[in-house]
Amino acid sequence: MDWRTKFDSLKSRIEARNRIITETGHYWGIDKFALLDEDPVKFNRFNARLISAVMAAREIGKYVAASPAATGMGELVFGLLTVEGDCMAASTGLVGHSATMPVVLESFCELGYDVNPGTKHGDIWECNDPYYGAPHAADCFTWVPIIYKGTLVGWGGGVNHIGEVGGMVPGAVPPIAPNVFVEGYDYTVTRSGENDTFYPWWEDAWKRRTRAGEMNILDNKMRFAGCGMIRDRVLEICEEFGVEYTIQCMYEILEWERATMEKRLQKWVMPGKYKVPFLQPVKYKGKLGMLIPEANKNWLLHWPLVFTLGNGRATYDFSGASNQDWHHYNMYMGGLRFGINLAWYPVFLIGENMHTANIYLMDFIRPPGSVANPTNPFVGTPSSAVMGCRNGQGAMMRALSKALWGRGYVEETFVFEASDYNMYGMSGTFSNGVPWGMSNFSLVGAQHSGARAFMDGGVCDASGQNPETDYGESEDWETIEPPLLNIIRGVTTDYCVHGKYRGGIGYTLAFMVNEPGQFFQVNDSCSMNAEVTTHCIGPSGSYPGQGHAQVYIKKTNMPELIKKGEYPGSFREIKQWIKDGKLTCEEYIINQGEAPPRQLEHGDIYCILAHSVEGWGDPVDRDLYRIEEDLNFDYISPEIAKRIYSAEVVTSDGIYEIEPEATAKARQEILKEREKNSVSAIEWWKEEREKILKKEVGDEEVHVLFEQAIANEKWGNYFREFWGLDKDYSF
Amino acid sequence: MKSEQSEVDISVVASKERIRLITEGKLPWELCQQMMRLEEKDEDRFLKYMEVLQERVPWKEKILCRMTEKLYVVRKDDGSRIVKCICGQEYGDYRINWKLSCRIRVRRSKEEWREVMSMEEVIPNPNLVESREYYCPGCFTRQGVEVVPVGYPAIFEILPDIDLVYRMHDKPLEDESPDWFQDKTADLTSKWAKEV
């Protein structure tokens, strides 16, 4: 049996593919590259044609859209899929999202829609439902069949992240969405048009179900335009190369890429078991009350990823993950695969094809009913994609970095905070009564990186989702958020994690609210780690990354100051102006992590403090010249240089310098203090064990975390063994 | 899908000297980027890396692999494989979480965190987590940090499959055994449990 066998459905065909891969270890059993060996020039010419088709789809398609994210940041991706849905060539752009295309296509096949109602040339298909494989409702997937003279050759697909999904809380990723009924406009696997034309009711649904209908319709047209371009190019390629060659060659390319990644995984990483847990706080208590009582609580979600590498395979083990529940952090497979590929692509994919063959090198342990594998089809999902990022990209990059470093590929160590997008959603009513809603995710475009094992983290040097992007144009974004006047964009002094090499310096955006009309509210989503650190582990003696905060400064005199031509240039200056009385306000509110909707008025200031990422190594080992540079760039203050790095700072002609001898002495004192303030491991173990036995572990959500994690047999045994507890111990 | 290795001399770009320099944080950024851009990495990197590391430590035991900036797994003359700090402090069997051989400082208040964190607005909530700093009992280097709820087991960050990596390099260790890739932390904690 091979792909040429006549199958009665695509579901049967996928089952055959999976069986053959398991039996042979090769994609569709291809262990020889017949077409490549026969004519390598033709083979490569064929592949180049496919790649140019998907690239052209993105570069031309994006100009059909109107949102700043699509046109300015290029937040979209197009891919060519095999008949079974494997992406064998994707464009640049939102590369991780190409990994969700196979998951949605598999749902399409599982639902049997290829048989009933069937599909034909000119059909347009859509899905943004995480239950069926989309990362979350904001990531809309469009695809079209490619049928050459009656033979299904594959699919052209496109994804982009839209700006408003129509949830109870406005924006693209609502920070409060306990169930699918309030999280926004999720559409299941749906045919949205025929004969290359959308059904009229499909476009009407965007207008009625979301707050930015016109923008979303244009995004949809953009996706379809790109898909149609891919389809037409592939049909031309079939005409030139023959349909049999086209299908077989696509499979050979996928097998080549799978085998290449397998080899790299074997040769580049230190095999072993890596634990990279993190915590995710969710704060609903007091916000939903009588409305949705089952969700009126807080959680501290446990994501205990254990990542095993060896022999060219990778296992993701989520044993001990918190239970699924009525919040927006339930993660489906589409979200996870999206996140995984964001980390895999930059590390292991170096050739020309962006593809999804790596999935055949992975194994997953996802306990059913947990946040890592929801069984309740109605729990909320807006952050399914975000959790995919935090596990697949954030946690895994940390493991991969250590694995590459351990094998000697020091230059490949690289981490950044995958999911800290600090996306903010807005809605309002202008003074003329026109309602509006949107979100801004420009901070996704340029994040900070963590320290590498040989250098400091970078400032605004990385974008996890879209390696090609940047922030886009500030003025473009202001057109979709008229009440927000951008007054600060820049790094924030002292907002970093310290170490021998420090993490990137955190970023601040600040706005003055300007004539918002009848009503204006803003919420903050995708800003993780409220009240904890970004991950549980800091590498080699550094602390883990610090999370986000928003600062709301109410009823200020900023409008008057701006009229005089004065406005602050940094967050530190805002604080100083308040201290000096120059900037007056009635309230100064700090919120860590995600923020529920908050009404803002003319003259209010809204600041986003957008995270920092971990350092590497012990701060007392930091080279003095690096500290001097940080001081002179205003990345850190003299106070912090002294407190964290024991640096004795002096100034000379306005330039900071460090006294080496005094600093060396101060560092010796720090080491003595460490000795004095620490205890032996067994003392620590006994004291901490006592707290477990007395259940003195903190707030209620911590108790729930332990109850649920220990109920998992594997994690429970690990916990009991660590603390020397009876086999029947439960929390 | 097939791109040719750009015309670089791997023996220069990934020479032992450059590996030493990048390990010490002294390789110029442009040369780091050259290493990053290698499409096919030098396959003997691990062996060269071990040589570089061995030359940097003041003791003689053979380094088998690296665990953190200053911690290594080494083989002792008696055949045991232990974790050892660059300062010479020995931590015991590498299959037991090395953190349980450290001195430990726990921080449970915002006041304590202010000593190590510099952004007041994002200091964690002590009712949710504590931080643990793991110090070398020999030199008091901070070898590791974790921020977790009270009662969370000390995280065993890496259990390396040492036998497998040497077998991949066609240099199998003479004492290889499946037992070397087993977490033995519970052997220690079960002993401690008898004392309480």
Side-chain angles (χ1 to χ4, degrees):
Chain A
M1 177 184 283
D2 67 6
W3 63 267
R4 294 173 186 82
T5 305
K6 294 285 180 197
F7 297 98
D8 57 2
S9 67
L10 290 180
K11 187 180 172 189
S12 309
R13 185 172 176 136
I14 286 174
E15 286 167 356
R17 176 202 62 186
N18 293 345
R19 190 170 58 251
I20 289 171
I21 292 173
T22 305
E23 288 168 2
T24 66
H26 300 284
Y27 188 75
W28 270 118
I30 295 169
D31 56 1
K32 290 192 182 75
F33 300 102
L35 298 179
L36 174 65
D37 294 343
E38 184 184 303
D39 188 342
V41 174
K42 181 181 177 184
F43 188 93
N44 280 301
R45 188 163 59 86
F46 172 85
N47 193 37
R49 291 282 300 277
L50 298 184
I51 292 169
S52 69
V54 294
M55 288 301 293
R58 176 173 184 265
E59 294 307 316
I60 297 170
K62 66 185 180 187
Y63 293 111
V64 177
S67 73
T71 57
M73 297 171 67
E75 289 276 296
L76 59 149
V77 66
F78 287 97
L80 172 60
L81 317 181
T82 65
V83 173
E84 305 81 21
D86 292 297
C87 181
M88 59 76 55
S91 69
T92 51
L94 290 176
V95 291
H97 293 66
S98 59
T100 71
M101 295 177 182
V103 191
V104 178
L105 253 295
E106 199 165 319
S107 295
F108 170 86
C109 302
E110 189 68 31
L111 291 162
Y113 290 173
D114 57 308
V115 177
N116 180 22
T119 191
K120 60 187 182 305
H121 179 84
D123 283 356
I124 312 169
W125 290 91
E126 315 269 357
C127 181
N128 75 343
D129 188 346
Y131 185 79
Y132 288 120
H136 54 175
D139 290 327
C140 300
F141 177 33
T142 301
W143 71 99
V144 302
I146 305 172
I147 301 169
Y148 180 80
K149 295 181 180 175
T151 300
L152 182 63
V153 178
W155 312 85
V159 179
N160 85 305
H161 182 107
I162 65 172
E164 216 290 317
V165 301
M168 174 179 71
V169 177
V173 188
I176 296 178
N179 59 50
V180 296
F181 309 110
V182 296
E183 70 183 27
Y185 178 36
D186 291 329
Y187 44 89
T188 60
V189 177
T190 304
R191 184 160 62 193
S192 62
E194 295 175 87
N195 301 317
D196 290 350
T197 307
F198 287 119
Y199 300 129
W201 49 87
W202 178 253
E203 295 192 5
D204 192 47
W206 282 118
K207 294 180 194 166
R208 293 290 305 125
R209 295 276 79 86
T210 70
R211 296 175 180 86
E214 300 293 351
M215 201 78 83
N216 291 338
I217 289 171
L218 285 169
D219 277 2
N220 205 158
K221 288 185 173 180
M222 167 192 71
R223 295 192 300 276
F224 169 62
C227 292
M229 287 177 65
I230 294 171
R231 178 195 64 197
D232 294 350
R233 292 295 83 73
V234 173
L235 291 176
E236 288 171 10
I237 289 165
C238 288
E239 193 69 30
E240 181 182 338
F241 289 82
V243 68
E244 167 93 7
Y245 185 96
T246 300
I247 297 174
Q248 173 68 18
C249 201
M250 283 163 60
Y251 291 150
E252 283 196 17
I253 292 166
L254 270 168
E255 170 55 17
W256 176 284
E257 297 291 356
R258 187 206 63 76
T260 302
M261 277 204 166
E262 183 180 40
K263 191 174 94 175
R264 288 180 178 148
L265 194 55
Q266 284 172 338
K267 293 190 173 181
W268 291 5
V269 299
M270 183 73 195
K273 192 169 281 193
Y274 297 78
K275 290 189 176 174
V276 276
F278 68 88
L279 307 166
Q280 177 60 55
V282 189
K283 304 273 182 186
Y284 279 11
K285 196 164 192 172
K287 299 187 179 81
L288 292 165
M290 292 168 64
L291 190 64
I292 307 178
E294 67 273 31
N296 189 26
K297 54 186 171 179
N298 295 332
W299 295 264
L300 185 63
L301 300 180
H302 186 218
W303 291 91
L305 182 60
V306 178
F307 187 52
T308 305
L309 290 166
N311 284 324
R313 290 199 75 79
T315 302
Y316 298 75
D317 187 350
F318 291 94
S319 297
S322 295
N323 294 355
Q324 63 187 346
D325 212 335
W326 300 109
H327 52 63
H328 55 297
Y329 280 96
N330 301 286
M331 179 185 75
Y332 286 99
M333 196 56 175
L336 178 58
R337 283 191 57 179
F338 148 71
I340 285 172
N341 272 25
L342 290 173
W344 274 73
Y345 285 159
V347 176
F348 295 117
L349 193 150
I350 302 174
E352 294 161 14
N353 287 61
M354 205 73 78
H355 62 85
T356 55
N358 56 347
I359 191 66
Y360 302 109
L361 305 174
M362 298 175 190
D363 302 295
F364 297 94
I365 300 169
R366 301 161 57 224
S370 72
V371 280
N373 189 5
T375 50
N376 180 341
F378 300 138
V379 291
T381 64
S383 286
S384 174
V386 180
M387 289 299 98
C389 279
R390 295 204 68 196
N391 284 287
Q393 188 181 30
M396 202 181 89
M397 278 187 100
R398 283 156 174 83
L400 282 178
S401 275
K402 282 182 189 162
L404 290 154
W405 171 82
R407 194 73 177 259
Y409 299 110
V410 180
E411 71 274 19
E412 296 293 341
T413 58
F414 179 71
V415 297
F416 69 103
E417 198 35 63
S419 54
D420 270 354
Y421 309 147
N422 247 131
M423 200 177 284
Y424 54 93
M426 301 155 277
S427 69
T429 308
F430 295 129
S431 53
N432 61 3
V434 174
W436 66 283
M438 199 50 187
S439 67
N440 181 320
F441 38 106
S442 56
L443 279 169
V444 178
Q447 299 163 290
H448 323 296
S449 52
R452 305 172 196 222
F454 57 97
M455 65 183 281
D456 291 341
V459 176
C460 308
D461 69 338
S463 172
Q465 290 55 246
N466 183 354
E468 287 198 318
T469 190
D470 59 19
Y471 284 143
E473 296 296 329
S474 183
E475 291 76 10
D476 282 352
W477 285 103
E478 282 181 338
T479 63
I480 59 154
E481 48 188 26
L484 290 181
L485 178 66
N486 195 175
I487 55 173
I488 294 174
R489 275 191 174 217
V491 296
T492 307
T493 306
D494 292 337
Y495 193 4
C496 68
V497 180
H498 306 281
K500 178 179 180 182
Y501 306 109
R502 59 148 178 76
I505 310 292
Y507 201 79
T508 295
L509 279 181
F511 307 90
M512 185 194 83
V513 179
N514 184 42
E515 299 180 1
Q518 295 179 19
F519 175 79
F520 172 55
Q521 69 90 359
V522 64
N523 63 75
D524 202 312
S525 61
C526 300
S527 42
M528 307 297 113
N529 330 308
E531 303 176 17
V532 295
T533 47
T534 52
H535 288 259
C536 291
I537 300 171
S540 282
S542 168
Y543 261 75
Q546 282 188 272
H548 292 252
Q550 304 82 33
V551 177
Y552 308 92
I553 311 172
K554 300 282 290 175
K555 297 190 188 301
T556 74
N557 62 337
M558 183 57 73
E560 289 74 39
L561 291 171
I562 281 187
K563 279 178 193 165
K564 288 192 260 176
E566 295 183 79
Y567 58 91
S570 67
F571 181 63
R572 189 169 58 165
E573 200 163 28
I574 286 183
K575 291 203 284 191
Q576 190 61 45
W577 283 17
I578 291 173
K579 200 172 165 187
D580 297 344
K582 181 173 181 178
L583 179 65
T584 60
C585 64
E586 289 188 9
E587 268 187 293
Y588 186 91
I589 303 160
I590 300 173
N591 180 80
Q592 277 197 32
E594 289 189 309
R598 185 177 293 273
Q599 186 177 354
L600 298 178
E601 296 163 299
H602 180 66
D604 291 349
I605 295 175
Y606 171 47
C607 305
I608 299 172
L609 308 179
H611 80 265
S612 59
V613 192
E614 67 252 46
W616 177 285
D618 189 342
V620 301
D621 290 331
R622 185 164 176 77
D623 290 326
L624 303 191
Y625 78 89
R626 294 180 196 274
I627 303 172
E628 285 176 344
E629 275 182 5
D630 282 351
L631 285 163
N632 288 309
F633 278 122
D634 200 23
Y635 286 168
I636 65 169
S637 62
E639 181 202 339
I640 291 304
K642 169 82 178 164
R643 193 202 310 167
I644 306 280
Y645 296 106
S646 312
E648 296 295 333
V649 182
V650 294
T651 52
S652 169
D653 294 332
I655 304 292
Y656 290 110
E657 290 175 359
I658 294 177
E659 293 281 354
E661 285 176 13
T663 301
K665 201 173 164 192
R667 287 181 168 180
Q668 284 303 315
E669 291 304 312
I670 285 285
L671 299 181
K672 285 180 192 162
E673 274 182 39
R674 287 178 179 177
E675 184 170 10
K676 192 176 77 183
N677 293 328
S678 59
V679 297
S680 68
I682 189 167
E683 284 177 85
W684 165 81
W685 182 86
K686 284 177 181 173
E687 190 224 5
E688 197 104 352
R689 184 178 187 273
E690 197 61 24
K691 286 185 178 294
I692 279 284
L693 294 174
K694 290 180 179 170
K695 294 186 169 42
E696 293 172 353
V697 294
D699 285 348
E700 186 184 348
E701 50 264 49
V702 184
H703 289 246
V704 174
L705 179 153
F706 279 122
E707 278 168 20
Q708 295 180 352
I710 294 167
N712 176 280
E713 188 179 355
K714 188 189 279 186
W715 204 90
N717 287 340
Y718 157 66
F719 178 88
R720 283 183 280 266
E721 283 180 0
F722 186 85
W723 295 116
L725 299 169
D726 294 340
K727 284 182 181 170
D728 56 353
Y729 173 86
S730 62
F731 190 81
Chain B
M1 66 171 257
K2 288 185 74 182
S3 60
E4 294 301 320
Q5 176 82 43
S6 51
E7 288 183 14
V8 293
D9 186 344
I10 293 184
S11 66
V12 175
V13 172
S15 66
K16 191 175 158 188
E17 176 60 8
R18 288 202 188 173
I19 295 167
R20 185 182 67 77
L21 287 170
I22 197 169
T23 301
E24 293 173 356
K26 294 175 182 167
L27 189 67
W29 174 232
E30 294 73 23
L31 301 185
C32 296
Q33 287 180 306
Q34 278 187 6
M35 292 176 91
M36 291 174 190
R37 289 180 186 134
L38 287 174
E39 186 169 318
E40 293 303 328
K41 301 280 191 187
D42 43 323
E43 293 194 2
D44 61 346
R45 176 72 70 89
F46 179 72
L47 302 175
K48 287 187 286 188
Y49 187 48
M50 289 302 113
E51 286 178 24
V52 165
L53 298 177
Q54 194 78 54
E55 289 163 13
R56 283 160 38 88
V57 296
W59 28 260
K60 290 185 180 163
E61 288 94 338
K62 179 182 165 59
I63 294 176
L64 295 175
C65 72
R66 196 177 191 188
M67 299 289 269
T68 73
E69 184 72 12
K70 292 188 180 176
L71 292 181
Y72 304 88
V73 177
V74 302
R75 181 156 55 191
K76 299 284 287 179
D77 290 342
D78 62 4
S80 61
R81 301 180 186 179
I82 64 157
V83 173
K84 185 161 182 161
C85 181
I86 197 166
C87 75
Q89 177 74 28
E90 297 187 347
Y91 287 53
D93 192 331
Y94 79 99
R95 295 167 295 179
I96 294 173
N97 190 348
W98 55 263
K99 290 175 178 172
L100 299 188
S101 298
C102 287
R103 297 279 296 183
I104 303 174
R105 163 88 192 262
V106 178
R107 296 178 192 268
R108 292 200 178 113
S109 71
K110 291 203 170 196
E111 201 50 52
E112 290 177 293
W113 274 323
R114 283 189 191 99
E115 295 170 8
V116 286
M117 294 179 169
S118 53
M119 193 68 181
E120 175 72 25
E121 285 80 357
V122 287
I123 286 181
N125 178 351
N127 294 325
L128 297 181
V129 287
E130 65 181 15
S131 79
R132 302 170 186 160
E133 298 180 2
Y134 296 95
Y135 304 139
C136 174
C139 62
F140 284 89
T141 289
R142 201 166 78 192
Q143 308 278 26
V145 176
E146 56 194 29
V147 180
V148 290
V150 173
Y152 200 88
I155 301 164
F156 196 176
E157 298 179 18
I158 310 168
L159 176 63
D161 192 343
I162 295 172
D163 285 356
L164 180 56
V165 76
Y166 279 92
R167 221 177 309 134
M168 285 172 169
H169 286 279
D170 292 328
K171 292 187 180 300
L173 298 173
E174 57 210 30
D175 57 344
E176 66 175 22
S177 154
D179 198 42
W180 287 119
F181 191 43
Q182 300 294 324
D183 184 345
K184 302 273 187 185
T185 304
D187 290 357
L188 177 64
T189 53
S190 63
K191 272 189 211 162
W192 287 356
K194 288 175 188 159
E195 294 182 24
V196 293

